[in-house]
Amino acid sequence: MSPSLPFGGGISRYRAVVAAVFTALVVLWVAFVPLSPVAVALAAVSVVYFVANAFDSVRSHPLYDLASAAFVALLFALWYSISDADSAFLAALTVLAALGVVVEAYNYRHGTSHLRFDF
């Protein structure tokens, strides 16, 4: 049986294991490293995203692509805000991710898949 096949309740085994390992690492990171509240928010948003992706019903929802693009934009914005250096690269990634949210909102509204990389 392939590890990516769903088991009980529409949960992908592979994604559930990855989410569990990621959550454990983030909990250790937050517990033992002094972090700013924004860094803790970054960690929490990432854990929620990984755990949610384990459920097939989340990934098959029509708003999944838009929510995923919004997560990436939020992730880069939070990362930029906690970055010590004045990073033009992170700012550019944040702007590009925000444009991705606009594209996905258009795709959702019109039922298209323009500018989407589907693998």
Side-chain angles (χ1 to χ4, degrees), residues 34-104:
L35 298 172
S36 69
V38 178
V40 174
L42 175 72
V45 167
S46 298
V47 166
V48 167
Y49 182 76
F50 271 84
V51 171
N53 271 317
F55 294 92
D56 295 335
S57 59
V58 170
R59 290 189 318 277
S60 64
H61 195 278
L63 283 172
Y64 175 74
D65 292 320
L66 179 58
S68 188
F71 163 75
V72 170
L74 178 63
L75 188 73
F76 283 131
L78 289 171
W79 189 13
Y80 176 74
S81 69
I82 64 173
S83 177
D84 291 337
D86 185 26
S87 177
F89 179 69
L90 285 176
L93 288 176
T94 304
V95 170
L96 286 174
L99 290 174
V101 172
V102 171
V103 168
E104 286 303 332

Side-chain angles (χ1 to χ4, degrees), residues 25-37 39-40:
L25 291 173
V26 168
V27 167
L28 289 173
W29 181 52
V30 169
F32 294 110
V33 176
L35 298 172
S36 69
V40 174

